[in-house]
Amino acid sequence: MSTIKYPNGTKHAQMGLTSDYHSGRGMRLENDLNDSNAYYRAVDRALIYKKPTPIQVVRVDYPSRNRAKIVEAYYRTPSTTDYNGVYRGRYIDFEAKETQNKKNFPLFMVHPHQIEHLKKVHFHGGIGFFLIRFTAYDCTYLVDSEILIHEIETMDRQSIPYAWFEQYGHPVHEGYQPRLDYLSIVDALYFKEERHYEKTQK
Amino acid sequence: MSTIKYPNGTKHAQMGLTSDYHSGRGMRLENDLNDSNAYYRAVDRALIYKKPTPIQVVRVDYPSRNRAKIVEAYYRTPSTTDYNGVYRGRYIDFEAKETQNKKNFPLFMVHPHQIEHLKKVHFHGGIGFFLIRFTAYDCTYLVDSEILIHEIETMDRQSIPYAWFEQYGHPVHEGYQPRLDYLSIVDALYFKEERHYEKTQK
């Protein structure tokens, strides 16, 4: 597996060039996903975007006629997950998290509103999951939201061991294009039954 | 094509009441839709949100330890529509526009990237439409994206007459809860065939 390093990503955050500094994860996974989604869109495989970070604008100046400059604004807590879109006619919704922890995925990284949101995605017939990257191993797992949420809600811990992801998660192949081929996992996990269903209908 | 004028938007932004000054429409339709979507979520009918306005953050100050203050940022052009989510297992995606014009809907209000995006929504099997409000008549029409885009691309005008919307649009009922019951139109337009399909399968 290869490593793509985005030294600038971190640097950007320090210099305030990114609106994601507060989201509790680094920028590498986000960059990989943005690249992958751009590729999926370019080849018409899926239409999936990262949502903009919600910002509360308080004051805007107009130094020139055509360019509004925001001079006071604050980050707001997102009420949903970061990514959504449409794939093979289905609604797709997921949250991506990156941890440097070698043994565990710390649960403080998953916010209660994200759990509630993904429960509702499932209720309404959408496809919901988490993409969890352990940067120490350069390994990203796709985990179905129902399974991870069940684990979070029935256990009495502050974190989920890495071994759990090895067992219940699905490692996402890293490559050149797409960087993270998570839709191949989505195909296998969420469209298997549909294919089966189509076959039995014929 | 034509020049974009945003008289009201600019005012809103100056008062700092909205982060949407540049989106070319007033806030009333947006407020009605946010209320309606909150209601739909509360009664578990659908999971639809307005996306945050994309903002390019350039500089962040940290006046206190826990509160980041954005002190330089700029509005970016959105690459997608404003609203999306999931309803009855289907991906929903739409753009909302409000005009004070009594006779026409000015086409400069629909951006090329929104047209491209809604074409792709259709391609991937999602449900895409426009909600167009004529504030002069307090009337909001739902128009299927394919139909409106076809009209935009085949005609040689800068606007579409109000009468066209009376013919091809579907007036959205306004009430107390939800403020704008656009999902009833979605039911009638996009789930009719599915019901028919289900019936013929049995």
Side-chain angles (χ1 to χ4, degrees):
Chain A
M1 233 178 265
S2 63
T3 314
I4 285 198
K5 290 178 186 163
Y6 290 105
N8 291 340
T10 315
K11 213 170 164 192
H12 278 157
Q14 283 166 348
M15 302 190 318
L17 288 178
T18 166
S19 52
D20 276 307
Y21 82 99
H22 70 324
S23 64
R25 59 189 157 78
M27 292 291 286
R28 278 190 49 227
L29 178 56
E30 178 177 329
N31 286 337
D32 284 357
L33 285 171
N34 287 344
D35 286 355
S36 304
N37 290 334
Y39 173 78
Y40 285 143
R41 290 195 300 269
V43 299
D44 279 336
R45 184 155 173 209
L47 192 62
I48 297 169
Y49 281 93
K50 181 179 185 294
K51 289 180 209 166
T53 305
I55 289 173
Q56 175 74 41
V57 175
V58 176
R59 205 153 55 85
V60 181
D61 276 358
Y62 294 87
S64 70
R65 272 177 72 105
N66 299 318
R67 184 84 161 143
K69 181 182 175 185
I70 298 163
V71 293
E72 185 180 356
Y74 300 93
Y75 291 104
R76 286 163 50 202
T77 307
S79 37
T80 67
T81 50
D82 272 353
Y83 300 85
N84 76 355
V86 56
Y87 177 53
R88 294 175 67 177
R90 298 284 300 276
Y91 175 77
I92 299 278
D93 194 302
F94 63 95
E95 184 63 30
K97 300 288 184 191
E98 193 168 18
T99 180
Q100 294 177 12
N101 198 305
K102 290 177 184 175
K103 294 185 175 173
N104 298 290
F105 174 66
L107 287 185
F108 71 79
M109 295 183 75
V110 180
H111 305 296
H113 62 262
Q114 291 169 338
I115 291 177
E116 288 313 305
H117 179 76
L118 283 167
K119 279 184 181 175
K120 289 192 173 188
V121 166
H122 182 77
F123 175 84
H124 288 288
I127 291 171
F129 52 86
F130 289 87
L131 287 173
I132 310 282
R133 174 175 283 180
F134 288 87
T135 55
Y137 310 110
D138 242 321
C139 197
T140 307
Y141 290 94
L142 187 152
V143 193
D144 176 69
S145 59
E146 291 291 291
I147 292 174
L148 185 58
I149 290 170
H150 178 265
E151 185 69 11
I152 291 173
E153 294 187 336
T154 53
M155 60 186 270
D156 193 23
R157 275 180 301 192
Q158 304 278 315
S159 62
I160 297 178
Y162 180 72
W164 185 90
F165 290 91
E166 289 184 300
Q167 187 174 357
Y168 294 101
H170 304 267
V172 179
H173 176 75
E174 291 197 26
Y176 175 58
Q177 279 187 326
R179 279 290 302 133
L180 280 174
D181 190 16
Y182 66 92
L183 285 181
S184 295
I185 313 277
V186 170
D187 283 335
L189 278 184
Y190 300 101
F191 289 90
K192 208 163 35 180
E193 283 179 28
E194 192 163 283
R195 281 203 301 273
H196 175 72
Y197 176 79
E198 280 166 7
K199 274 177 197 161
T200 56
Q201 289 286 302
K202 277 168 192 164
Chain B
M1 231 160 85
S2 60
T3 314
I4 300 188
K5 290 174 189 167
Y6 295 114
N8 291 339
T10 310
K11 208 172 167 189
H12 279 152
Q14 283 168 346
M15 302 193 310
L17 290 178
T18 167
S19 54
D20 276 308
Y21 83 98
H22 69 326
S23 65
R25 60 191 157 78
M27 292 291 287
R28 275 193 47 229
L29 178 56
E30 180 178 328
N31 287 337
D32 285 356
L33 285 171
N34 288 345
D35 286 354
S36 304
N37 288 335
Y39 173 78
Y40 286 143
R41 290 195 300 269
V43 299
D44 279 336
R45 184 155 173 208
L47 192 62
I48 298 168
Y49 280 92
K50 180 178 184 296
K51 289 181 209 165
T53 305
I55 290 174
Q56 175 75 40
V57 175
V58 176
R59 204 155 55 85
V60 181
D61 277 358
Y62 296 88
S64 70
R65 274 175 72 105
N66 299 318
R67 184 84 160 142
K69 181 182 175 184
I70 298 163
V71 292
E72 185 179 354
Y74 300 94
Y75 292 104
R76 286 164 50 204
T77 307
S79 39
T80 66
T81 50
D82 273 352
Y83 299 85
N84 75 355
V86 56
Y87 177 53
R88 294 175 67 176
R90 298 284 300 277
Y91 175 77
I92 300 277
D93 194 303
F94 63 95
E95 184 62 32
K97 300 287 185 192
E98 192 168 19
T99 180
Q100 294 177 13
N101 198 305
K102 290 178 185 176
K103 292 185 176 174
N104 298 290
F105 173 66
L107 287 185
F108 71 78
M109 295 183 75
V110 180
H111 305 298
H113 62 263
Q114 292 169 338
I115 291 176
E116 288 314 306
H117 179 77
L118 283 167
K119 278 182 181 177
K120 289 191 173 187
V121 166
H122 183 77
F123 175 84
H124 289 287
I127 292 171
F129 51 87
F130 290 88
L131 287 174
I132 310 282
R133 174 175 283 178
F134 288 87
T135 55
Y137 310 112
D138 240 323
C139 197
T140 307
Y141 291 94
L142 187 153
V143 192
D144 177 70
S145 59
E146 292 290 290
I147 293 175
L148 186 58
I149 290 170
H150 178 265
E151 185 70 11
I152 290 173
E153 294 187 336
T154 54
M155 59 185 273
D156 193 23
R157 275 180 301 193
Q158 304 279 316
S159 62
I160 297 178
Y162 180 73
W164 186 91
F165 289 91
E166 290 183 300
Q167 187 174 356
Y168 295 101
H170 304 268
V172 179
H173 177 75
E174 291 197 27
Y176 175 57
Q177 277 187 328
R179 280 287 302 131
L180 279 175
D181 190 16
Y182 67 92
L183 286 181
S184 295
I185 313 277
V186 170
D187 282 335
L189 278 184
Y190 300 101
F191 289 89
K192 207 164 36 178
E193 283 178 27
E194 193 165 282
R195 280 203 301 273
H196 175 71
Y197 175 78
E198 281 166 7
K199 274 178 197 163
T200 57
Q201 289 286 301
K202 279 168 191 167

